[in-house]
Amino acid sequence: MPDFLKLFADLVVYRWLGLHAGAHLADALDFFIYDVIKILLLLTAIIFVVSVIRSFFPPEKTRQFLGRKRSWVGNILAALLGIVTPFCSCSAVPLFIGFLESGIPLGVTLSFLISSPTVNEVALVMLLGLFGWKVAGLYIASGVGIAIVAGIILGRLKLERYVEEYVYQIKVGAADYVRPTFRQRATDAWTYTGEILRKVGLWVLVGVGAGALIHGYVPVDWLAKYAGRGNPLAVPLAVLIGVPLYSNAAGTIPIVQALTAKGVPIGTALALMMAVTALSLPEAIILRRVMKPRLLATYFGVVALAIVFVGYLFNAVIR
Amino acid sequence: MLIQILGSGCSRCHETERRVLNAVSRLGIAADIRKVTDMKEIMSFGVLGTPAVVIDGKVVSQGKVPSEDELRKLLSGDK
């Protein structure tokens, strides 16, 4: 299929527009058209499939399933389920309460809460399209890894008393879960895919456009000198900058691309991206409703440290 | 008919409310529409994914923004 796309891009740029192959602008445009179509097709297919799969893992089911698991196994399963259970930051509070109420340990609950926003299918597709399967694979593995390890550590720290008291007093009612028909699952998945595409479409254009421009025009500059391999503080600094910021995962990809194109190592750029998506000020404000400051600070601290660690690991593994 | 919209006030919850209002006025039915933002009350429905829509005490949609079509079907089917 990619070959058809290449043919199509060539047709548009060199035939219809009559631009000359080999010219900077023409090749950048060719690259742009090819990549935009490729990523949009990938996004449509993957978001649709992921949404259908997700409809089989509603949070109510995940909660029942995790209730019988203890730490370690629980943390690993929670981190993996975090990928397939649909999640939006506005559901973080009811999820947190619901998990704890059913007896799921705090550390396991946090593993889920970390992996769910960190491993994002839109980011995955864009990394796959722009950087290849190696970076995309490491992204998933490290997201799940961070969720497991941070959850285990947080579980060991005995932080239960720093959960707001009212959380333990809430009684969760019996859920009358309506089992959707397959048709309903497909319709929902399709609607959701459209929603996401409308939301991130612009970012795909910006991301790929930035990449296309940078490939041809921007020289490696001072960023590489100060945030390159020579500076061991670059990774923690990137995380420190990323934590208060919030953007959806698609919005951070153009930044990742611009940074790597300017000579910042991929681990440093991905650490920034994960810090932006996994931890943010708005999320802290939402979670403050169920976590006392001490727990909230420890949660952010441990996750930030895990991201720094993964950043170094990436820089060491991918050269 | 009592319609409750469960959600702690995120943009997806507002969108759900807007669509419920639209569907109700389109169908021309009399309904008492209430927003539920209190966490204790939301959890009493056993709902973990917000926004959720409850019609006469029964959860009919959760963890997603239902389409107006779907809402119209739910609202007229229950009557």
Side-chain angles (χ1 to χ4, degrees):
Chain A
M1 187 183 71
D3 290 326
F4 282 121
L5 291 180
K6 183 85 190 96
L7 285 176
F8 176 73
D10 288 350
L11 181 73
V12 170
V13 176
Y14 304 122
R15 274 285 179 76
W16 296 351
L17 296 177
L19 297 170
H20 291 290
H24 238 13
L25 178 71
D27 290 351
L29 191 64
D30 190 56
F31 177 81
F32 176 78
I33 293 175
Y34 172 75
D35 258 6
V36 165
I37 300 178
K38 181 179 76 180
I39 288 176
L40 286 180
L41 283 177
L42 268 174
L43 270 179
T44 310
I46 292 191
I47 296 177
F48 180 74
V49 171
V50 167
S51 311
V52 172
I53 294 174
R54 278 187 175 165
S55 72
F56 289 95
F57 295 89
E60 291 76 11
K61 237 165 142 180
T62 298
R63 168 173 174 257
Q64 268 179 9
F65 179 73
L66 284 177
R68 297 187 293 269
K69 305 289 181 290
R70 290 293 147 235
S71 28
W72 288 92
V73 179
N75 290 99
I76 295 168
L77 288 172
L80 291 174
L81 283 167
I83 305 175
V84 288
T85 304
F87 175 84
C88 111
S89 59
C90 44
S91 294
V93 168
L95 267 174
F96 184 83
I97 297 175
F99 275 31
L100 287 186
E101 196 255 7
S102 70
I104 299 173
L106 182 61
V108 175
T109 304
L110 292 178
S111 276
F112 180 87
L113 220 57
I114 296 165
S115 109
S116 212
T118 310
V119 183
N120 177 289
E121 71 274 16
V122 175
L124 177 70
V125 170
M126 292 188 75
L127 288 177
L128 185 69
L130 298 171
F131 295 95
W133 61 269
K134 220 167 161 185
V135 171
L138 266 174
Y139 165 73
I140 296 198
S142 60
V144 173
I146 288 171
I148 294 172
V149 173
I152 289 174
I153 294 173
L154 287 163
R156 285 287 162 84
L157 292 177
K158 302 263 169 283
L159 295 160
E160 281 76 5
R161 65 205 139 114
Y162 297 112
V163 172
E164 291 288 350
E165 279 87 14
Y166 82 93
V167 168
Y168 292 114
Q169 287 151 18
I170 287 183
K171 278 268 143 280
V172 179
D176 39 4
Y177 170 64
V178 222
R179 201 186 158 76
T181 58
F182 192 80
R183 208 192 143 85
Q184 183 68 46
R185 290 180 207 277
T187 320
D188 282 351
W190 190 242
T191 318
Y192 182 73
T193 307
E195 242 173 70
I196 294 291
L197 281 179
R198 268 194 298 281
K199 218 156 89 188
V200 304
L202 180 68
W203 293 112
V204 172
L205 293 182
V206 172
V208 178
L213 279 177
I214 287 163
H215 271 291
Y217 297 104
V218 180
V220 174
D221 62 1
W222 63 271
L223 253 178
K225 208 163 105 201
Y226 292 105
R229 291 188 186 284
N231 184 357
L233 285 180
V235 176
L237 213 65
V239 172
L240 221 56
I241 293 170
V243 167
L245 298 177
Y246 176 72
S247 155
N248 60 30
T252 58
I253 301 279
I255 301 170
V256 170
Q257 216 180 11
L259 289 177
T260 49
K262 288 187 177 185
V264 174
I266 186 82
T268 312
L270 278 181
L272 174 70
M273 170 188 160
M274 285 186 158
V276 171
T277 51
L279 303 172
S280 70
L281 212 55
E283 204 204 350
I285 293 167
I286 290 173
L287 288 178
R288 174 66 189 87
R289 291 164 62 181
V290 285
M291 297 180 181
K292 290 181 185 170
R294 175 96 175 250
L295 173 58
L296 192 61
T298 316
Y299 172 69
F300 268 55
V302 170
V303 176
L305 276 179
I307 296 175
V308 169
F309 176 75
V310 162
Y312 282 129
L313 193 72
F314 266 43
N315 284 346
V317 170
I318 296 187
R319 297 220 156 240
Chain B
M1 179 188 290
L2 172 66
I3 305 172
Q4 286 158 301
I5 297 151
L6 317 185
S8 46
C10 58
S11 64
R12 281 158 61 87
C13 310
H14 294 310
E15 177 61 20
T16 305
E17 188 195 7
R18 200 185 61 81
R19 290 187 189 176
V20 168
L21 286 172
N22 269 353
V24 165
S25 74
R26 193 76 76 79
L27 288 169
I29 45 178
D32 183 7
I33 301 170
R34 280 185 213 160
K35 265 166 80 171
V36 179
T37 52
D38 177 58
M39 211 32 81
K40 229 173 228 175
E41 216 181 328
I42 292 178
M43 302 300 294
S44 71
F45 286 98
V47 162
L48 297 187
T50 54
V53 179
V54 179
I55 299 177
D56 290 334
K58 193 174 180 314
V59 180
V60 293
S61 159
Q62 56 185 295
K64 66 169 187 185
V65 183
S67 70
E68 271 179 43
D69 256 5
E70 203 183 332
L71 282 169
R72 275 206 295 273
K73 254 179 236 155
L74 287 169
L75 288 168
S76 51
D78 259 312
K79 197 64 239 164

